[in-house]
Amino acid sequence: MTADLVGVLQSDPELWVLGAALAALLALIVALIGTTLRLRARNNRTQARWIGLEERWQPLVLASIAGRISDADLHAQVSPAEALFFIDYLLRFARRLEGEERATIERLARPLLPILVARLQHRDDEFRARAVQTISALGLQEYGHIVVAALDDRSDLVAMVAARSLSQPGTPEFASAVIRRLARFRQWRSSFLASMLARVGPEIAPSLREALLDPNTDIAVRVVAADALRELNDPESAVPAAVVLSTTSDRNLIVACLGILMEVGHQRHLPPVRALVSSDEPIVRARAFATIARLDDQADLSLLRGAMNDPSPWVPIRVIEALRAAGATTVLQRIAQGPEISNEFQRALRSEAQS
């Protein structure tokens, strides 16, 4: 039977090739199954080891938090081979704690953090990023200069992890370092970067105002600074925003500064805004008209009525939204009475005024 099969295969080369291919495929499948089983067994062993270590460490860490054992006694229970596992365990523990308990975890991690500092020289980007993240979480005050240096890492991933790690509530001392490197992250959305900076809190506002006013700062960075100031509702940013409106022609920066004035501006800041209602950019006209409508309860009705007939439909929409947000229903009604307003817009304005 076997001889007959060999004879058939030898007489038909295509069957021989097909048989060889099937045999190779079968061997590959067997090899993949074997590899999968080995990896699963290794993962199970690692998981079992993790569980064993955590069961051993948890009562010791809790005893340390309660002040029942010294740091030296706890560290004596962690072998050098287990140090990285222990740091990772402390990191997960710290994320669930605040106040003095969190401070205790950071103190326990402090003698081990030089291990992570050494890993910042690792060739793998993800290793370095993980090290930066952990150092920031457990020892930012002591190793802040190390994290700041990571802003210049060759990897954008590591640099962004460092920027986010330095942009935490209550860390304004690192704000200038992050802002100076913002141009590196221009591929990220401005809104994301602005929210990252605003997370620091109002203490970062002076650095943001400085960046906004500096004509030598990258335009993209100034836009981020303006957006962050708007998110912070920083009242002192209204004057810088008005100054920038008078000195820049960049559309994005103009829109960002108008956004600041929409939130914290006053009528005295409107002169440079009024100059923008004749801009060639529809988005600038829309934001300028809306800012005037929002801030000036005695706004020039003829000016706002003209906005209703702007070539861009977004302009009247933004004006209506701004007037409604300001509670200026009387102004809406008076605009609707203008003879130059179409019947369609008159109906829309009356509806907005009554709603």
Side-chain angles (χ1 to χ4, degrees):
M1 181 67 178
T2 303
D4 293 340
L5 179 59
V6 173
V8 170
L9 291 175
Q10 290 177 339
S11 64
D12 191 336
E14 292 183 359
L15 285 178
W16 179 265
V17 173
L18 179 60
L22 290 174
L25 180 60
L26 180 61
L28 178 61
I29 291 173
V30 171
L32 289 175
I33 291 174
T35 300
T36 301
L37 292 175
R38 286 194 299 273
L39 289 174
R40 183 170 182 177
R42 187 176 70 179
N43 289 339
N44 288 339
R45 289 194 300 271
T46 301
Q47 184 177 12
R49 184 186 180 194
W50 257 112
I51 293 174
L53 291 173
E54 291 183 4
E55 289 176 349
R56 175 155 58 90
W57 289 334
Q58 182 170 342
L60 295 172
V61 172
L62 292 176
S64 178
I65 292 175
R68 294 197 301 270
I69 64 172
S70 68
D71 294 356
D73 290 338
L74 188 149
H75 289 141
Q77 301 297 318
V78 181
S79 69
E82 298 168 346
L84 285 174
F85 288 98
F86 187 61
I87 293 172
D88 192 66
Y89 175 70
L90 291 178
L91 175 63
R92 291 188 288 116
F93 218 107
R95 287 170 174 165
R96 304 195 299 266
L97 301 175
E98 295 180 353
E100 292 184 5
E101 295 176 340
R102 171 67 181 254
T104 297
I105 297 299
E106 293 177 1
R107 190 187 71 238
L108 291 174
R110 192 171 299 126
L112 303 173
L113 292 182
I115 299 173
L116 294 178
V117 173
R119 288 172 73 87
L120 292 176
Q121 305 304 317
H122 200 285
R123 64 182 180 181
D124 187 284
D125 295 347
E126 293 186 5
F127 272 71
R128 298 197 308 280
R130 176 69 174 175
V132 168
Q133 185 180 52
T134 306
I135 290 171
S136 301
L138 296 176
L140 184 59
Q141 293 305 315
E142 184 173 355
Y143 291 96
H145 63 289
I146 297 292
V147 182
V148 169
L151 290 169
D152 299 319
D153 191 275
R154 62 182 179 274
S155 165
D156 288 341
L157 169 65
V158 177
M160 175 49 73
V161 169
R164 285 178 55 81
S165 299
L166 293 168
S167 303
Q168 299 294 330
T171 60
E173 64 269 29
F174 302 115
S176 296
V178 176
I179 293 172
R180 284 197 302 270
R181 274 91 164 177
L182 275 182
R184 176 175 186 173
F185 308 117
R186 62 174 65 253
Q187 70 272 23
W188 294 78
R189 286 184 294 108
S190 173
S191 58
F192 169 82
L193 296 174
S195 295
M196 179 184 77
L197 293 173
R199 186 172 53 177
V200 175
E203 299 88 353
I204 198 177
S207 296
L208 293 172
R209 292 195 295 268
E210 181 181 353
L212 174 61
L213 280 169
D214 186 0
N216 296 318
T217 297
D218 187 282
I219 286 290
V221 174
R222 298 174 74 187
V223 171
V224 171
D227 288 341
L229 288 166
R230 176 181 54 78
E231 287 196 32
L232 289 169
N233 283 310
D234 175 53
E236 294 184 39
S237 63
V239 171
V243 170
V244 172
L245 286 180
S246 302
T247 58
T248 185
S249 60
D250 183 82
R251 181 187 65 178
N252 293 331
L253 185 55
I254 289 173
V255 170
C257 288
L258 288 171
I260 291 176
L261 294 180
M262 282 278 286
E263 298 298 328
V264 297
H266 298 280
Q267 292 183 23
R268 62 180 178 274
H269 303 128
L270 285 178
V273 179
R274 293 182 181 278
L276 296 170
V277 298
S278 58
S279 170
D280 294 333
E281 297 283 353
I283 188 173
V284 172
R285 296 198 305 274
R287 187 62 68 91
F289 275 120
T291 302
I292 294 170
R294 180 74 175 269
L295 300 183
D296 190 358
D297 56 3
Q298 302 297 323
D300 184 346
L301 285 180
S302 63
L303 181 71
L304 297 182
R305 283 172 178 161
M308 295 299 105
N309 294 317
D310 192 275
S312 170
W314 289 108
V315 173
I317 289 173
R318 295 297 180 237
V319 171
I320 292 172
E321 289 176 346
L323 288 171
R324 185 177 183 184
T329 55
T330 301
V331 176
L332 281 169
Q333 292 172 344
R334 294 174 65 186
I335 292 175
Q337 295 169 0
E340 69 273 25
I341 307 301
S342 66
N343 292 333
E344 180 181 356
F345 257 120
Q346 286 182 357
R347 288 193 297 270
L349 288 167
R350 292 193 187 102
S351 176
E352 288 290 335
Q354 295 169 2
S355 62

